[in-house]
Amino acid sequence: MNNRAWIRGGDRPALRLVSAALLALVLLPASPPARAQDAAPVRVGTVVVEAQPINPAKEFVGRIEAMQRVSIRARVTGYLDAVLFKEGQQVKEGDLLYRIEQAPFEAAVSQAQGALDKARGQSAFADAQLARAQELLKTQTGTQATRDQRQAEQLTARGDVQIAESNLKTAEINLGYTEIKSPITGLIGRTSVTKGNVVGPDSGVLTTIVSQDPMFVSMPISQREFLTLKSADRMTGTGALSVLIRFSDGTAYEFPGKIDFVDVSVDRATDSVLVRAEVANPNGLLIDGQLVKVALQLEQPVEKILVPQSALIADQKGVYVFVVEDGKAATRRLTLGGESGTSAIVDDGLAAGDQVIVQGIEALRPGVPVTATPAATLPGAG
């Protein structure tokens, strides 16, 4: 009786404490929650990067240019007597291209020759007159004034001879200009005049000749690309780079070129530097003014770190990859230098021996534990 009274009324607070303790015990989980750092490692596929010899190429748009290009013009005015070439044919240096009527110029030569003969005769007479005046002066039968006059006449006559000789030479030169010859060897273009027309210095270009072998290929390279080439020591000397040409249809040209000129200033309109290469053209496949694709390629391979394209991740800050460091995923920011096949060329950010993650990237965060397996051995890897 007394015991029931104690339970009912004497210690009800103690009963409530026992009930609360039992309820808390029921609500407690069977085991504490796992912490993030104790989570199971993520299984990833990796490749170990190494420095490999590669021969990267930078591609640009270039234009073929003839090494020699000559615009043929008439240097004297006259009736065009003959056109002595076939348009589009190969001509050699010294080949006769046009002939202007020569009769008027031959007459001018003859006239100049006659004037020269006359001047020489007068000069000879003046010499004799001066000699006679000097003899008379010695015998005191002549005067000083007469001798001086004869001396002046001699100088005048000699001047007339020089003028006549120059006129004859000019007439002969003009006669030579009636035969217009090729100054270079190359292909000749279309003629703008035909036989029977009057031509002269104001007639403009009669035709154009362009040399064929070798040719130039010129390409504007952006200042950024130019600095990249220089930083890679690709511009050390003119023989460091090989120039490879592809035509617009994608076919490759068989002869490589050599860089022979880099412009001394940057084009302010395009912010580019003009680079020119010399290319052999024995078969005439390269045509003056032709647009081609030009790849600049090192003749000797260079050692570079390559990383698979599948490992690259891009964000607002640039490109990075995940690597394995102390069993955890870590990020590495990369500076890329182009592509080589299916791999990217790494200029900075990785070193030989780094373990780069290429599979299982989707679940990764920096610091997440990983279990690394060579990518080729993972199920489904190919």
Side-chain angles (χ1 to χ4, degrees):
M1 188 68 178
N2 293 333
N3 290 340
R4 290 193 189 102
W6 178 80
I7 293 175
R8 288 175 182 174
D11 202 5
R12 287 186 178 179
L15 181 60
R16 286 196 295 267
L17 289 175
V18 172
S19 300
L22 291 174
L23 179 62
L25 183 62
V26 171
L27 295 177
L28 283 175
S31 60
R35 293 177 298 174
Q37 58 267 33
D38 296 331
V42 178
R43 193 178 181 198
V44 295
T46 63
V47 294
V48 177
V49 296
E50 300 290 345
Q52 302 179 33
I54 62 170
N55 200 349
K58 296 281 187 179
E59 193 169 86
F60 307 93
V61 175
R63 188 177 295 276
I64 302 298
E65 298 176 357
M67 294 187 70
Q68 294 179 296
R69 181 184 180 90
V70 180
S71 297
I72 303 299
R73 300 173 183 266
R75 302 180 71 174
V76 293
T77 300
Y79 173 83
L80 188 60
D81 194 43
V83 178
L84 303 169
F85 65 90
K86 183 179 180 181
E87 295 172 326
Q89 75 176 23
Q90 180 86 11
V91 295
K92 296 181 180 179
E93 181 178 353
D95 283 354
L96 186 60
L97 306 177
Y98 297 96
R99 185 171 59 243
I100 298 173
E101 183 182 19
Q102 296 180 328
F105 298 93
E106 291 171 341
V109 170
S110 180
Q111 183 179 3
Q113 183 64 60
L116 176 59
D117 292 341
K118 180 180 179 180
R120 284 173 177 171
Q122 292 175 342
S123 178
F125 178 73
D127 290 343
Q129 288 291 86
L130 176 60
R132 186 176 297 110
Q134 288 174 339
E135 289 297 327
L136 291 175
L137 184 60
K138 289 178 182 179
T139 61
Q140 297 184 351
T141 57
T143 64
Q144 183 73 30
T146 301
R147 196 282 305 272
D148 292 344
Q149 182 180 357
R150 297 294 180 262
Q151 193 170 31
E153 291 172 352
Q154 182 197 48
L155 293 174
T156 301
R158 288 182 177 178
D160 290 341
V161 170
Q162 289 181 344
I163 293 172
E165 287 176 345
S166 297
N167 290 337
L168 175 61
K169 187 173 183 180
T170 300
E172 290 173 342
I173 291 173
N174 288 337
L175 176 60
Y177 287 159
T178 60
E179 291 187 339
I180 303 176
K181 298 179 180 180
S182 175
I184 64 171
T185 296
L187 288 181
I188 192 165
R190 185 174 62 89
T191 181
S192 63
V193 293
T194 56
K195 177 181 177 180
N197 289 281
V198 175
V199 297
D202 297 331
S203 300
V205 178
L206 305 183
T207 190
T208 302
I209 304 173
V210 293
S211 61
Q212 290 296 293
D213 187 24
M215 299 287 274
F216 286 139
V217 56
S218 298
M219 67 215 89
I221 297 178
S222 68
Q223 194 173 8
R224 178 180 177 182
E225 293 285 0
F226 182 74
L227 294 174
T228 301
L229 292 172
K230 290 191 70 174
S231 65
D233 290 331
R234 295 185 179 184
M235 289 296 182
T236 306
T238 57
L241 284 172
S242 179
V243 179
L244 306 178
I245 294 175
R246 286 193 299 113
F247 296 111
S248 58
D249 62 356
T251 58
Y253 183 62
E254 59 180 316
F255 297 102
K258 298 286 184 182
I259 290 178
D260 75 328
F261 172 75
V262 177
D263 206 350
V264 296
S265 60
V266 175
D267 188 326
R268 297 185 180 183
T270 61
D271 197 31
S272 62
V273 179
L274 182 68
V275 177
R276 188 184 71 189
E278 182 178 325
V279 187
N281 189 33
N283 301 323
L285 295 179
L286 301 180
I287 303 172
D288 181 55
Q290 183 178 21
L291 280 175
V292 293
K293 292 183 179 179
V294 184
L296 301 184
Q297 189 174 47
L298 288 170
E299 288 188 339
Q300 299 297 326
V302 293
E303 295 285 332
K304 288 287 186 179
I305 297 291
L306 298 182
V307 62
Q309 297 275 3
S310 59
L312 301 180
I313 307 170
D315 60 13
Q316 293 180 347
K317 296 181 180 180
V319 178
Y320 67 95
V321 294
F322 279 107
V323 297
V324 178
E325 287 185 353
D326 299 327
K328 297 179 181 180
T331 58
R332 293 278 185 86
R333 293 284 171 181
L334 304 183
T335 301
L336 302 181
E339 299 179 357
S340 178
T342 59
S343 299
I345 302 170
V346 179
D347 287 336
D348 187 42
L350 289 175
D354 283 343
Q355 203 171 3
V356 177
I357 299 174
V358 295
Q359 293 176 338
I361 299 174
E362 299 80 4
L364 292 182
R365 297 290 183 274
V368 171
V370 295
T371 299
T373 306
T377 64
L378 284 178

